[in-house]
Amino acid sequence: MILKNLEEIKEIEKANQIIARLYRDILPPYIKAGISTKELDKIVDDYIRSQGAIPGCIGVQGMYNEFPAATCISVNEEVVHGIPGDRILQEGDIVSVDTVTILNGYYGDSAYTYAVGEIDEESKKLLEVTKKSREIGIEQAIVGNRLGDIGHAIQKYVEKEGFSVVRDYAGHGVGLAMHEDPMVPNYGRAGRGLKIENGMVIAIEPMINVGTYKVVLHPDGWTVSTKDGKRSAHFEHSIAIVDGKPIILSERSEERRVGK
């Protein structure tokens, strides 16, 4: 685990704010039926570079090969790490965009799942529950708690709502690298795990499925889908623990900027 000082956290926030602007201001008009995931990836790539940053996903070494795109784009039954390509978004789809930026050597990391046009009620609930579970997890990220309190709170809420929590992938430390210790599972037992400390910067990212929590890895070595083919949603924020409480670094909100 790498604890960061306030100056480092400010720099990590700058990298995350690029993604916050991307998700709020840039991408929404393009999330519509008829666009390909490859086209979305180019929009992400162009915007990140226009802000003086580098897309952090390109060239990351996986199990078999390097990731070939600027961002991970996962549609419907795809959970995470979808490779952008020729897949065309359809009315009623849901699409997760998971983006990493590198700005002056500091990393931002955040994910958002969008609805493509009008979606069915089950998918609406899935998005609402997944997004709320992220906020519930963040609320537990206070000095005096442990990482298990985050996962326990997420799991308890999600399962009460009738969905399942992916076990094979988790949140993580972030800031000086894309993935740092500690791992931050989205399930677990309260009171267990590493103590939360000031200076921790972690990504909290529940991946929530309609059906089973079990997943499968595609032959491309990256794309992960639900084992039963039912839908999955993914929301992620990078947060820092400052003065005992979480500050959301990847949320576009001037009032919550570090040092203000």
Side-chain angles (χ1 to χ4, degrees):
M1 178 178 66
I2 305 173
L3 297 179
K4 283 81 173 180
N5 61 40
L6 192 58
E7 290 306 311
E8 289 173 320
I9 292 172
K10 288 179 180 179
E11 295 301 316
I12 296 166
E13 183 185 40
K14 290 176 185 176
N16 275 289
Q17 284 295 300
I18 294 171
I19 309 175
R21 294 191 296 270
L22 171 74
Y23 288 165
R24 191 191 71 173
D25 302 330
I26 306 301
L27 273 184
Y30 297 99
I31 304 293
K32 57 187 179 181
I35 195 168
S36 71
T37 55
K38 183 187 295 183
E39 290 173 304
L40 286 178
D41 183 69
K42 187 175 188 310
I43 293 164
V44 172
D45 193 331
D46 288 347
Y47 181 71
I48 291 172
R49 295 182 191 278
S50 77
Q51 301 302 297
I54 300 169
C57 292
I58 294 176
V60 171
Q61 183 61 50
M63 190 179 301
Y64 309 119
N65 52 18
E66 294 182 349
F67 195 79
T71 193
C72 300
I73 301 179
S74 308
V75 183
N76 293 341
E77 77 287 349
E78 295 172 349
V79 180
V80 285
H81 305 160
I83 299 175
D86 295 329
R87 185 167 184 170
I88 303 296
L89 297 186
Q90 307 292 328
E91 179 80 12
D93 285 346
I94 60 174
V95 55
S96 166
V97 182
D98 186 0
T99 306
V100 176
T101 52
I102 309 171
L103 182 66
N104 301 323
Y106 295 91
Y107 287 73
D109 190 3
S110 181
Y112 196 95
T113 302
Y114 295 92
V116 182
E118 186 63 31
I119 58 176
D120 61 59
E121 291 303 316
E122 183 177 65
S123 296
K124 286 181 184 176
K125 183 179 178 183
L126 174 65
L127 266 59
E128 290 168 1
V129 168
T130 307
K131 191 173 186 180
K132 185 174 179 180
S133 75
R134 178 184 62 178
E135 312 318 315
I136 287 171
I138 291 170
E139 289 171 359
Q140 295 297 315
I142 58 175
V143 171
N145 277 359
R146 294 179 178 269
L147 292 181
D149 295 310
I150 296 173
H152 176 75
I154 291 171
Q155 182 182 16
K156 182 179 178 181
Y157 168 68
V158 166
E159 292 181 351
K160 188 183 94 165
E161 294 295 327
F163 298 122
S164 67
V165 177
V166 171
R167 311 292 179 88
D168 292 357
Y169 298 86
H172 51 86
V174 67
L176 304 184
M178 183 188 304
H179 293 125
E180 302 171 3
D181 290 333
M183 298 295 289
V184 187
N186 299 301
Y187 68 98
R189 297 177 63 182
R192 299 294 181 91
L194 197 67
K195 285 185 178 179
I196 295 170
E197 301 180 51
N198 283 316
M200 289 179 71
V201 179
I202 56 177
I204 296 178
E205 52 175 319
M207 292 149 272
I208 307 304
N209 298 347
V210 168
T212 179
Y213 66 84
K214 295 181 180 179
V215 298
V216 293
L217 179 66
H218 289 216
D220 64 21
W222 286 102
T223 308
V224 176
S225 290
T226 57
K227 189 171 184 179
D228 57 12
K230 294 183 180 180
R231 291 188 169 189
S232 181
H234 178 207
F235 284 90
E236 176 183 20
H237 268 319
S238 289
I239 69 167
I241 312 304
V242 178
D243 296 330
K245 299 177 181 179
I247 293 178
I248 303 174
L249 304 179
S250 51
E251 180 177 66
R252 187 70 175 131
S253 175
E254 295 297 333
E255 292 78 19
R256 305 185 74 159
R257 302 296 288 273
V258 174
K260 288 193 176 183

